[in-house]
Amino acid sequence: MAANSRLTIATHVLTWLALAQRRGQEVLTSDQVAASVNTNSVIIRRSLGDLRRAGLVEVRHGAGAGWSLARAPKEITLLQVYDAVGGEPPFGLHRSEPNLECPVGRGIRPALNQTYGRVEQAIRRELADTSIADVLRETLMN
């Protein structure tokens, strides 16, 4: 099972925009961002669209067209990014109904729902405590 990388790509995009802004380049094209992520610009435009709808980036059309942060990097949390890209719960339950005649089949979903709910809340708390500025700082240290 492959992990969903949408949060990672969106965070990379925002961190690259933050670094460009710090260096005096307020706007980057989707091709410039795609070069940093090393992926197709269509994937980047899709991610930028999600981020724009969430109010995290802005797009400029015409001369000097491109993308920029809509807020300061310290004001953008990873939780906002997670929610913008349609953050999915970290774990899923059975795709089909387990055997309800079996004591484990009958009780597994409620038991796991409680545990998974606590895990997701812990993830959301950690993401809320981390900003794009934090990610940029850590990135530049490596």
Side-chain angles (χ1 to χ4, degrees), residues 11-12 14-19 21-22 69 71-81 124-142:
T11 300
H12 187 138
L14 292 168
T15 304
W16 181 226
L17 288 171
L19 180 60
Q21 182 182 64
R22 179 192 280 185
L69 296 177
R71 299 185 219 160
K74 68 180 180 187
E75 297 173 2
I76 301 172
T77 69
L78 292 188
L79 180 58
Q80 293 167 326
V81 180
R124 294 182 69 80
R125 279 191 304 275
E126 185 66 27
L127 292 174
D129 288 343
T130 307
S131 72
I132 292 299
D134 298 329
V135 174
L136 179 57
R137 184 177 53 257
E138 291 290 322
T139 299
L140 295 178
M141 289 171 62
N142 292 319

Side-chain angles (χ1 to χ4, degrees), residues 58-72:
E58 299 171 332
V59 63
R60 187 180 303 166
H61 299 286
W67 297 88
S68 62
L69 296 177
R71 299 185 219 160

Side-chain angles (χ1 to χ4, degrees), residues 13-14 24 34 71 80 83 88 101 108-109 122:
V13 166
L14 292 168
R71 299 185 219 160
Q80 293 167 326
D83 289 339
E88 298 175 8
E101 300 297 318
I108 192 76
R109 282 184 167 185

Side-chain angles (χ1 to χ4, degrees), residues 33-114:
V33 176
S36 176
V37 179
N38 197 24
T39 192
N40 189 298
S41 59
V42 171
I43 292 169
I44 297 304
R45 282 192 291 275
R46 187 175 308 128
S47 183
L48 285 163
D50 291 338
L51 297 170
R52 184 182 53 77
R53 282 185 288 281
L56 303 178
V57 298
E58 299 171 332
V59 63
R60 187 180 303 166
H61 299 286
W67 297 88
S68 62
L69 296 177
R71 299 185 219 160
K74 68 180 180 187
E75 297 173 2
I76 301 172
T77 69
L78 292 188
L79 180 58
Q80 293 167 326
V81 180
Y82 179 75
D83 289 339
V85 298
E88 298 175 8
F91 306 109
L93 295 175
H94 305 79
R95 291 188 185 268
S96 61
E97 185 75 30
N99 180 354
L100 299 180
E101 300 297 318
C102 169
V104 172
R106 186 173 45 254
I108 192 76
R109 282 184 167 185
L112 290 178
N113 267 333
Q114 291 176 13

